[in-house]
């Protein structure tokens, strides 16, 4: 991934003649549309504010690369926090010395000379007493961006625009270890400590083993033994990481995913504009676009430049990057195969048409629905998404998972959807539609070899034939179809929650449980006077189960196909107007 980030950085740097284009510019989403230049006048010993509008170019113009994380000195003259500039916050709390830019940036050539003179007369304690109420009233604390300007000898100096400041941010004057090779390019001038910014993807490669592993100490020698990189590669990787964080990031539920493309050596810069990332679909796509200068690239050509992508699932924190999962080198052919298969299954099983009966028009067989149908637990302390990430990784990387694990995951979420107890914000889906989408995913997984294949029968037989189940599981599916008829009868009698569903054990039902359930189903058919309409289907279901008992070896799979048959038939009832969709939604 180092090489990929470096390649992105090279493309971004080479696409501009501006030296600052090599900086990893950050573009945070700010509530305010105003920025302030904070002007320290060394001649008049005064502080003034100059308001400007935040534009698309503001973060580049004033070289905002983020605030120094954790306890690191705030040695950057552009920030999103006014307290770093003036030394106190809007509540009157003084800022720590190492977070005051006027103190921490004094080592920067030329910039530091001007700030040292400011430090001789500017005392945060004094200015807080005299100016805090005025500055609060003027709204200066509510800006989205701040940068320092110093007036000296009648001349105005915008510190962020000094070449010396740019060179400082690029680390041009950093000490190097001659003779130690950079592991990325081979240059024999590695940095003793790359000191990547906290909260970035690069930070996940730096692991502190001091105190846990014998012989490891916090020294340049041991850092260089674990990770050696030269200053140029470091800057390029940071530039690449910044582009990934700003432009190749998506949200899926409560998870963030960062896409790092592996590009061919001769890739043009325009390719970066062609890679689109979205929290729906299957996250990555290459769109047909035209460059302003009439440079046109078709999709096939674009694919030749993008070998694969790595998908980094994680969250940026103040001083580190929390990694949940990394899908390394997902090939473009695999991505397109997943997309094609999802589209074919949707069409074959008429999924969009079926779930439209419950007015569900924004769901497809895609990553968003897979997340919604996985037993993800979202809490105030974070998200536990291992089941989703396991299945998604198998889908992207092309390996198989235990079929019982997959069925169990779906059943856990279907149970909580049924009982309205999910801890997954995307799981607000009508139950029958949720089961139908799950059925589509199961078929997808079988086609893509994510789970071992098995065999699944419009009438019910015709539909289940499309699924390709074994005889025994066909019988279980047909039991689900009969269950829907009982559910319709209960619904018609005023039981909107359909008590028959309470007899299904969402944890799993073995062969014996299925047969007991079938007997209770027959009693219900008699009770509601609908046995004669369902007797043939029930008889065939039991016959298929008795012929192929071995297929009922997985209790979780049995319940899944039972619910699948129920949902297929129920959605057809809704389409026919026998059940009102709004009342199903409110179950």
């Amino acid at each position: 991934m180092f090489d990929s980030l470096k390649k992105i950085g090279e493309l971004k740097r080479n696409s501009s003649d501006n030296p600052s284009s090599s900086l990893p510019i950050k573009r945070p989403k700010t509530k305010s549309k105003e920025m302030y230049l904070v002007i320290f006048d060394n001649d008049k010993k005064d502080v003034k504010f100059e308001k400007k509008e935040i534009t698309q170019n503001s973060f580049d113009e004033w070289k905002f690369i983020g605030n120094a994380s954790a306890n690191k000195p705030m040695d950057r003259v552009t920030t999103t926090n006014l307290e770093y500039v003036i030394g106190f916050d809007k509540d009157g709390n003084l800022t720590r010395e190492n977070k005051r830019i006027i103190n921490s940036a004094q080592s920067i050539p030329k910039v530091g000379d001007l700030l040292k003179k400011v430090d001789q007369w500017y005392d945060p304690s004094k200015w807080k007493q005299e100016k805090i109420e005025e500055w609060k009233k003027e709204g200066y604390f509510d800006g989205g961006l701040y940068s320092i300007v110093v007036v000296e000898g009648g001349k105005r100096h915008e510190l962020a625009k000094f070449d010396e400041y740019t060179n400082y941010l690029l680390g041009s004057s950093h000490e190097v270890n001659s003779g130690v090779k950079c592991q990325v390019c081979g240059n024999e001038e590695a940095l003793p400590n790359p000191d990547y910014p906290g909260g970035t993807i690069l930070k996940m490669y730096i692991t502190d083993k001091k105190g846990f592993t014998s012989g490891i100490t916090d020294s340049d020698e041991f850092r260089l033994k674990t990770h050696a990189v030269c200053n140029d590669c470091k800057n390029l990787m940071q530039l690449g990481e910044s582009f990934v964080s700003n432009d190749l990031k998506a949200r899926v539920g409560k998870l963030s995913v960062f896409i790092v493309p592996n590009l061919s050596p001769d890739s043009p810069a325009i390719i970066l504009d062609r890679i689109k990332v979205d929290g729906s679909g299957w996250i990555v796509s290459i769109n047909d676009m035209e460059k302003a200068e009439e440079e046109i690239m078709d999709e096939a050509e674009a694919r030749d430049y993008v070998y694969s992508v790595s998908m980094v699932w994680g969250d940026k924190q103040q001083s580190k990057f929390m990694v949940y999962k990394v899908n390394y080198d997902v090939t473009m052919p695999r991505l397109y195969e997943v997309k094609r298969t999802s589209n074919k299954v949707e069409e074959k099983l008429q999924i969009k048409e079926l779930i439209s009966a419950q007015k569900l028009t924004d769901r497809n067989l895609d990553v968003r629905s897979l997340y919604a149908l996985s037993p993800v637990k979202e809490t105030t302390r974070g998200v536990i998404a291992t089941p989703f990430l396991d299945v998604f990784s198998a889908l992207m990387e092309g390996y198989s998972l235990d079929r019982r694990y997959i069925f169990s995951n779906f059943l856990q979420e279907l149970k909580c959807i049924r009982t309205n107890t999910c801890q997954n914000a995307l799981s607000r889906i009508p139950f029958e539609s949720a089961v139908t989408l799950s059925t589509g995913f199961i078929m997808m997984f079988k086609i893509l070899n994510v789970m071992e294949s098995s065999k699944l029968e419009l009438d019910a037989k015709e539909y289940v034939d499309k699924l390709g189940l074994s005889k025994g599981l066909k019988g279980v599916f047909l039991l689900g179809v009969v269950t829907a008829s009982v559910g319709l009868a209960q619904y018609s009698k005023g039981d909107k929650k359909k008590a028959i569903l309470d007899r299904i054990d969402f944890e799993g039902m073995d062969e014996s449980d299925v047969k007991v359930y079938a007997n209770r189903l027959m009693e219900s058919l008699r009770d509601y006077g609908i046995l004669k309409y369902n007797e043939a289907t029930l008889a065939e279901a039991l016959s298929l189960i008795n012929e192929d008992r071995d297929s009922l070896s997985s209790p979780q799979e049995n319940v899944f196909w039972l619910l699948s048959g129920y949902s297929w038939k129920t959605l057809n009832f809704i389409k026919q107007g026998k059940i009102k969709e709004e009342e199903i939604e409110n179950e």
Side-chain angles (χ1 to χ4, degrees):
M1 198 181 301
F2 281 143
D3 288 333
S4 297
L5 291 174
K6 180 186 175 184
K7 178 62 180 177
I8 296 170
E10 288 174 341
L11 291 177
K12 296 304 294 181
R13 184 174 69 179
N14 295 340
S15 63
S16 173
D17 295 328
N18 187 345
S20 65
S21 65
S22 296
L23 294 173
I25 300 299
K26 303 296 182 186
R27 297 179 180 83
K29 294 180 180 178
T30 59
K31 293 181 180 179
S32 173
K33 295 182 179 180
E34 297 172 345
M35 75 165 287
Y36 291 96
L37 299 181
V38 186
I39 305 171
F40 293 91
D41 192 328
N42 282 341
D43 299 335
K44 298 179 180 179
K45 308 296 187 290
D46 194 16
V47 181
K48 292 184 179 179
F49 289 79
E50 181 180 310
K51 183 165 68 174
K52 301 175 75 71
E53 181 184 358
I54 294 180
T55 65
Q56 189 74 19
N57 190 48
S58 295
F59 299 103
D60 297 88
E61 180 182 0
W62 299 100
K63 300 185 178 71
F64 179 67
I65 63 169
N67 299 314
S69 61
N71 293 318
K72 292 182 179 179
M74 184 57 195
D75 56 351
R76 301 164 188 185
V77 300
T78 300
T79 176
T80 51
N81 295 338
L82 179 58
E83 64 176 288
Y84 294 156
V85 178
I86 61 176
F88 57 89
D89 62 23
K90 66 191 307 181
D91 295 322
N93 301 310
L94 292 175
T95 309
R96 295 199 314 269
E97 287 289 316
N98 75 327
K99 288 300 181 181
R100 286 182 54 207
I101 298 173
I102 292 173
N103 285 2
S104 298
Q106 290 185 15
S107 62
I108 304 174
K110 192 175 179 180
V111 170
D113 294 336
L114 291 167
L115 292 178
K116 286 175 183 176
K117 293 182 179 179
V118 174
D119 198 25
Q120 291 173 5
W121 60 267
Y122 180 80
D123 179 0
S125 299
K126 175 187 173 184
W127 284 81
K128 180 188 75 170
Q129 291 178 350
E130 296 179 0
K131 292 290 186 178
I132 186 169
E133 294 303 324
E134 177 188 337
W135 290 354
K136 284 166 64 174
K137 184 178 179 181
E138 293 292 335
Y140 295 152
F141 286 93
D142 302 323
L145 191 67
Y146 304 88
S147 194
I148 295 178
V149 175
V150 177
V151 174
E152 173 77 24
K155 187 176 180 181
R156 175 185 171 112
H157 302 278
E158 297 174 345
L159 303 188
K161 298 183 179 181
F162 284 8
D163 290 341
E164 289 82 357
Y165 180 62
T166 300
N167 292 333
Y168 176 83
L169 295 180
L170 291 172
S172 302
S173 59
H174 285 181
E175 177 187 350
V176 298
N177 281 73
S178 298
V180 178
K181 286 188 177 182
C182 169
Q183 68 185 72
V184 181
C185 70
N187 178 18
E188 294 191 353
E189 289 189 342
L191 296 169
N193 179 10
D195 197 23
Y196 297 122
T200 66
I201 295 174
L202 287 166
K203 197 66 174 179
M204 73 181 181
Y205 289 96
I206 305 301
T207 305
D208 181 12
K209 295 293 184 182
K210 188 177 65 171
F212 295 91
T213 305
S214 177
I216 297 295
T217 62
D218 188 9
S219 66
D220 294 350
E221 177 187 359
F222 282 97
R223 285 197 199 99
L224 290 167
K225 285 182 178 180
T226 57
H227 178 61
V229 62
C230 68
N231 190 61
D232 189 48
C233 286
K234 173 198 170 183
N235 287 328
L236 288 172
M237 288 192 295
Q238 287 186 187
L239 187 58
E241 192 280 338
S242 180
F243 178 78
V244 168
S245 295
N246 288 330
D247 298 275
L248 299 182
K249 172 187 173 183
R251 291 285 287 181
V252 180
K254 295 291 184 180
L255 291 176
S256 294
V257 58
F258 301 81
I259 304 303
V260 182
N262 178 19
L263 305 174
S264 68
D266 56 345
S267 295
I270 189 180
I271 194 64
L272 295 177
D273 297 325
R274 301 293 307 282
I275 303 170
K276 297 302 170 186
V277 175
D278 192 2
S280 58
W282 290 105
I283 299 179
V284 183
S285 61
I286 298 180
N287 293 348
D288 292 322
M289 294 173 59
E290 295 184 9
K291 195 176 180 182
E293 292 81 26
E294 300 181 353
E295 181 180 351
I296 301 175
M297 182 188 302
D298 63 31
E299 188 172 355
E301 183 182 358
R303 293 182 196 178
D304 291 338
Y305 291 124
V306 184
Y307 292 154
S308 62
V309 296
S310 291
M311 302 180 176
V312 182
W313 298 86
D315 282 323
K316 292 190 170 190
Q317 300 182 353
Q318 186 176 26
S319 60
K320 64 181 179 180
F321 186 90
M322 177 64 73
V323 183
Y324 298 121
K325 192 90 172 181
V326 180
N327 306 128
Y328 290 105
D329 296 328
V330 178
T331 65
M332 299 312 292
R334 180 65 181 183
L335 267 172
Y336 292 125
E337 184 182 11
V338 169
K339 291 180 183 180
R340 282 195 299 269
T341 303
S342 65
N343 291 336
K344 287 180 180 178
V345 171
E346 279 183 5
E347 183 178 352
K348 186 173 184 179
L349 299 187
Q350 302 174 336
I351 286 177
K352 288 186 178 180
E353 181 182 346
L354 284 170
I355 65 177
S356 67
Q358 293 184 318
K359 298 179 181 177
L360 198 66
T361 59
D362 63 338
R363 293 301 175 103
N364 304 292
L365 293 181
D366 64 3
V367 66
R368 187 165 174 261
S369 293
L370 183 60
Y371 180 97
L373 295 169
S374 299
V376 173
K377 290 181 172 55
E378 300 170 349
T379 70
T380 55
R381 301 183 64 182
V383 57
I384 302 172
T386 302
F388 162 73
L389 293 173
D390 285 347
V391 174
F392 181 83
S393 297
L395 194 60
M396 289 294 113
E397 298 175 34
Y399 60 82
S400 298
L401 288 175
D402 186 328
R403 63 189 300 114
R404 290 171 295 185
Y405 177 66
I406 293 176
F407 279 104
S408 178
N409 284 341
F410 279 125
L411 287 176
Q412 285 182 56
E413 196 65 9
L414 291 173
K415 180 180 180 180
C416 76
I417 289 174
R418 162 72 179 158
T419 57
N420 196 28
T421 56
C422 294
Q423 294 176 269
N424 181 340
L426 292 186
S427 294
R428 298 186 180 94
I429 306 173
F431 178 70
E432 291 78 13
S433 292
V435 180
T436 298
L437 286 166
S438 300
T439 303
F441 279 121
I442 290 295
M443 188 170 182
M444 263 187 72
F445 297 162
K446 288 171 57 183
I447 294 171
L448 294 169
N449 297 318
V450 173
M451 52 187 282
E452 61 192 45
S453 59
S454 67
K455 286 232 174 207
L456 278 180
E457 279 193 60
L458 115 299
D459 62 14
K461 292 181 188 177
E462 198 175 339
Y463 186 82
V464 83
D465 276 338
K466 293 183 178 184
L467 297 173
L469 290 174
S470 62
K471 285 186 177 180
L473 292 179
K474 281 183 182 179
V476 174
F477 183 93
L478 292 176
L479 284 182
V481 172
V482 175
T483 299
S485 294
V486 174
L488 175 62
Q490 292 175 335
Y491 172 89
S492 301
K493 297 282 186 181
D495 178 8
K496 306 304 181 187
K497 290 188 175 294
K498 305 176 187 174
I500 188 65
L501 294 178
D502 294 332
R503 294 190 174 188
I504 299 174
D505 186 349
F506 282 70
E507 301 296 328
M509 296 168 63
D510 59 21
E511 179 194 349
S512 175
D513 295 329
V514 170
K515 289 184 175 179
V516 170
Y517 176 78
N519 290 332
R520 290 178 176 173
L521 203 54
M522 180 173 286
E523 293 173 6
S524 296
L525 291 171
R526 286 198 185 101
D527 291 343
Y528 289 101
I530 55 174
L531 177 60
K532 62 181 179 181
Y533 304 114
N534 293 275
E535 191 170 15
T537 304
L538 180 60
E540 182 164 2
L542 290 172
S543 175
L544 290 169
I545 289 171
N546 289 328
E547 283 182 44
D548 185 23
R549 296 178 180 177
D550 291 341
S551 291
L552 276 65
S553 59
S554 169
Q556 292 79 19
E557 193 168 350
N558 296 339
V559 175
F560 181 90
W561 291 118
L562 180 64
L563 293 174
S564 185
Y566 160 79
S567 295
W568 175 81
K569 187 65 175 178
T570 298
L571 290 173
N572 276 287
F573 283 151
I574 295 174
K575 287 172 62 182
Q576 295 163 16
K578 295 181 179 180
I579 296 177
K580 292 182 179 179
E581 178 270 332
E582 314 86 58
E583 295 180 350
I584 289 289
E585 276 189 352
N586 296 324
E587 285 185 10

